[in-house]
């Protein structure tokens, strides 16, 4: 039986590093909230059957988004950390997702995702028992530091920057995340939970325009990349 595909979008953050008056996922880019752009990117992928958006418990802005009325979109209440929000989204799929179905987790703060990159991720990982992530190779020389002192130059051929979506099988991802969090592991992306569980996710090279909106200077760059796709 062909594996179905679901998506979880962690969108419950407060955007402290952005320093805006509202959470960054609700800032406007090209006349549309960041979160609406992001959801539209995943809705453009036919294989994605259901999208769970993990929202802050006190999020008053969600009902104003067109995505709130899309039949493929549902919501869950996120948690204190990104990983908690992802887990809440995964648990919201418990009635629908089978153990080996795919779930892709994609940051609400990454609105410039190209649907072609999602198709590439799905194609390259088809049949893979574990899953993997979109990532970028390092084009700069990388230094290991202690305080302000350089202590080593790292072999950049072995270092990639993790992006999202991150695509894993439903039950292994959910169980790995639950166990890693219960063990107090530091989990900043889904792959780190899967690695913690002893598995080796694959990397699939993504587009450098798939930036994460984190600081104010990211906004014009995100607009540039969004304009490239219109
Ligand atoms: N408790 C949290 C924290 C983050 N996120 C989401 O995870 C994604 C990536 O996290 P990040 O860029 O760190 O967002 P924030 O936590 O909002 O940013 P900051 O760390 O600057 O506060 C974002 O889409 C954010 O909304 C979430 O769903 N739940
Ligand atoms: C998941 C992620 O976007 C992969 O690079 C990153 O780990 C999120 O980090 P953040 O500090 O929660 O923004």
């Amino acid at each position: 039986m062909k594996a179905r595909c679901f998506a979880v979008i962690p969108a419950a953050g407060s955007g402290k590093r952005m320093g805006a008056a509202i959470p960054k996922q609700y800032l406007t880019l090209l006349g549309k909230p960041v979160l609406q752009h992001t959801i539209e990117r995943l809705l453009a992928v036919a294989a994605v059957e259901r999208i769970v958006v993990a929202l802050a418990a006190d999020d008053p802005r969600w009902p104003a988004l067109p995505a709130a009325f899309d039949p493929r979109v549902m919501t869950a209440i996120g948690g204190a950390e990104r990983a908690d929000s992802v887990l809440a989204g995964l648990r919201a799929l418990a009635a629908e997702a089978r153990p080996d179905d795919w779930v892709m987790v994609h940051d609400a703060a990454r609105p410039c995702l190209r649907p072609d990159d999602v198709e590439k991720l799905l194609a390259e990982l088809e049949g893979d028992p574990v899953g993997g992530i979109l990532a970028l190779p390092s084009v700069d020389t990388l230094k290991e530091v202690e305080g302000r002192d350089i202590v080593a130059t790292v072999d950049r051929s072995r270092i990639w920057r993790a992006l999202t979506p991150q695509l894993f099988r439903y039950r292994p991802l959910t169980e790995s995340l639950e166990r890693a969090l219960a063990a107090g592991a530091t989990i900043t992306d889904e792959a780190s939970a899967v690695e913690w569980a002893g598995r080796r996710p694959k990397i699939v090279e993504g587009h450098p325009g798939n930036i994460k909106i984190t600081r104010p200077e990211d906004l014009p760059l995100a607009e540039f990349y969004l304009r490239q796709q219109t």
Side-chain angles (χ1 to χ4, degrees):
M1 184 182 297
K2 184 171 171 59
R4 300 169 68 190
C5 183
F6 301 89
V8 171
I9 298 178
S14 60
K16 291 183 287 296
R17 289 169 287 182
M18 179 58 71
I22 63 174
K24 62 188 179 183
Q25 56 270 33
Y26 288 104
L27 293 175
T28 299
L29 288 180
L30 303 186
K32 194 182 296 184
V34 166
L35 179 54
Q36 180 66 31
H37 281 289
T38 302
I39 294 171
E40 288 177 1
R41 288 299 183 281
L42 292 180
L43 287 173
V45 179
V48 176
E49 294 192 27
R50 171 84 66 198
I51 300 172
V52 183
V53 184
L55 300 169
D58 58 351
D59 181 336
R61 296 177 180 87
W62 170 253
L65 263 60
F69 303 93
D70 191 294
R72 286 163 61 188
V73 179
M74 61 187 280
T75 63
I77 300 302
E81 302 296 331
R82 180 185 178 282
D84 301 309
S85 298
V86 171
L87 190 52
L90 291 170
R91 286 170 170 162
L93 287 168
E96 273 193 276
R98 297 179 303 240
D100 286 342
D101 282 339
W102 287 117
V103 181
M104 63 177 72
V105 181
H106 181 60
D107 294 327
R110 291 183 187 267
C112 306
L113 172 66
R114 291 164 180 258
D116 287 353
D117 265 10
V118 181
E119 301 287 2
K120 179 181 179 185
L121 186 68
L122 288 166
E124 292 199 17
L125 295 178
E126 185 173 5
D128 190 288
V130 176
I133 70 171
L134 287 180
L136 286 174
S138 303
V139 295
D140 303 307
T141 295
L142 299 172
K143 304 294 183 184
E144 181 184 352
V145 301
E146 287 175 3
R148 297 289 303 279
D149 299 332
I150 295 173
V151 296
T153 295
V154 181
D155 174 4
R156 66 171 123 165
S157 69
R158 294 172 51 84
I159 305 292
W160 283 54
R161 290 166 43 214
L163 307 174
T164 67
Q166 302 201 0
L167 180 71
F168 294 103
R169 302 286 180 174
Y170 178 72
R171 176 178 288 171
L173 174 59
T174 305
E175 291 181 349
S176 299
L177 202 45
E178 286 174 337
R179 292 171 181 165
L181 291 175
T186 299
I187 302 299
T188 58
D189 70 345
E190 290 61 63
S192 51
V194 175
E195 296 156 44
W196 181 90
R199 299 185 183 92
R200 304 184 81 174
K202 299 289 191 298
I203 53 169
V204 174
E205 185 165 354
H207 190 282
N210 181 11
I211 64 168
K212 181 165 67 71
I213 295 174
T214 306
R215 296 183 175 89
E217 57 268 28
D218 299 325
L219 293 171
L221 194 53
E223 284 202 346
F224 167 79
Y225 284 119
L226 284 171
R227 288 189 199 281
Q228 276 194 331
Q229 298 182 53
T230 52

